[in-house]
């Protein structure tokens, strides 16, 4: 059975969301955050000391989106989009956009924003510009970002949209992006993954 090392409010939430979407069996090993300070034995699993991590029949992975892709491919691949499928380029773009482009302003806001208004202003501006990319993609009325179905691209972007609340930037989400986030949050798998412990 897949073992997921996790803590609330970390990227392990999206790994659990993927597992719930796939209906895959797993067990959660709950750790106190940050694990590098509270669980020195965890370095034997994740040399980075960061969450999430999984163990699966001799396989150990520690990068959240790599874990999500591994799991999706292992369990029928329906959350990934093949290069031959319509929507592949949207999928590829938004899979990486959620973490690589949309998330950084949230980190700036959370880390430095409370002390430096100039950083908070930059974070607001950058996040708003990046949200416009998501808004533009949804402008044709699509329910999901790629391939007319939920994919890892939605889980990547959706997880980051949820983080915007913690960073004090959720109010910047345009109406269409708020509606998209609500669709994701209404999914039973999302609700199971995010239910209180």
């Amino acid at each position: 059975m897949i073992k997921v090392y996790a803590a609330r409010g970390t990227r392990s939430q999206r790994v659990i969301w993927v597992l719930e979407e796939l209906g895959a069996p797993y067990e959660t090993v709950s750790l106190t955050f940050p694990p590098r300070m509270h669980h020195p034995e965890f370095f034997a699993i994740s040399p980075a000391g960061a969450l999430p991590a999984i163990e699966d029949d001799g396989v150990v992975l520690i990068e959240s989106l790599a874990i999500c892709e591994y799991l999706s491919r292992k369990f029928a691949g329906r959350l990934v989009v093949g290069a031959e499928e319509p929507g592949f380029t949207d999928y590829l773009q938004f899979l990486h956009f959620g973490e690589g482009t949309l998330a950084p302003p949230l980190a700036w806001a959370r880390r430095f924003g409370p002390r430096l208004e100039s950083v908070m202003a930059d974070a607001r501006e950058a996040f708003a510009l990046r949200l416009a990319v998501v808004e533009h993609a949804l402008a044709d009325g699509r329910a999901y970002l790629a391939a007319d179905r939920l994919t890892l691209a939605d889980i990547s972007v959706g997880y980051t949209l949820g983080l915007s609340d913690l960073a004090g930037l959720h109010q910047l989400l345009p109406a269409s992006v708020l509606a998209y986030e609500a669709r994701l949050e209404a999914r039973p798998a999302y609700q199971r993954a995010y239910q209180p412990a």
Side-chain angles (χ1 to χ4, degrees):
M1 181 176 293
I2 296 162
K3 188 180 290 188
V4 182
Y5 295 86
R8 282 235 165 279
T10 68
R11 284 165 175 78
S12 55
Q13 292 291 153
R14 71 172 152 209
V15 170
I16 293 170
W17 181 9
V18 165
L19 286 160
E20 290 291 341
E21 288 287 350
L22 296 170
Y26 68 95
E27 65 176 295
T28 303
V29 178
S30 295
L31 301 178
T32 304
F33 187 81
R36 68 181 180 278
M37 295 178 68
H38 299 284
H39 304 278
E41 71 283 2
F42 181 60
F43 283 104
I45 303 297
S46 173
L51 293 169
I54 67 161
E55 290 183 294
D56 178 34
D57 199 24
V59 172
V60 176
L61 291 170
I62 63 171
E63 174 55 46
S64 66
L65 286 175
I67 293 169
C68 292
E69 185 167 348
Y70 167 82
L71 293 170
S72 187
R73 291 184 187 282
K74 177 173 178 153
F75 295 98
R78 69 176 190 261
L79 295 177
V80 296
V81 178
E84 71 290 349
E85 290 183 73
F88 172 71
T89 55
D90 285 339
Y91 167 78
L92 192 61
Q93 177 93 332
F94 283 108
L95 174 64
H96 298 285
F97 184 84
E99 184 70 18
T101 302
L102 193 59
L106 303 180
W108 312 337
R110 288 184 74 189
R111 182 135 194 202
F112 303 109
R115 297 189 311 270
L116 299 168
E117 179 49 39
S118 62
V119 172
M120 194 64 176
D122 286 347
R124 279 192 294 270
E125 180 183 4
F127 191 58
L129 285 169
R130 295 163 193 205
L131 284 170
V133 175
V134 180
E135 182 181 30
H136 178 74
L138 297 170
D140 61 6
R142 67 180 73 179
Y144 300 107
L145 291 172
D148 296 324
R149 67 179 193 270
L150 181 86
T151 69
L152 294 181
D154 299 296
I155 290 171
S156 174
V157 170
Y159 173 79
T160 300
L161 294 176
L163 285 182
S164 69
D165 197 34
L166 296 173
L169 299 179
H170 194 262
Q171 74 280 5
L172 297 176
L173 272 62
S176 63
V177 178
L178 281 169
Y180 165 70
E181 181 185 40
R183 282 192 299 280
L184 297 178
E185 291 175 352
R187 295 182 66 84
Y190 179 98
Q191 293 176 8
R192 288 190 302 272
Y194 282 85
Q195 69 187 353

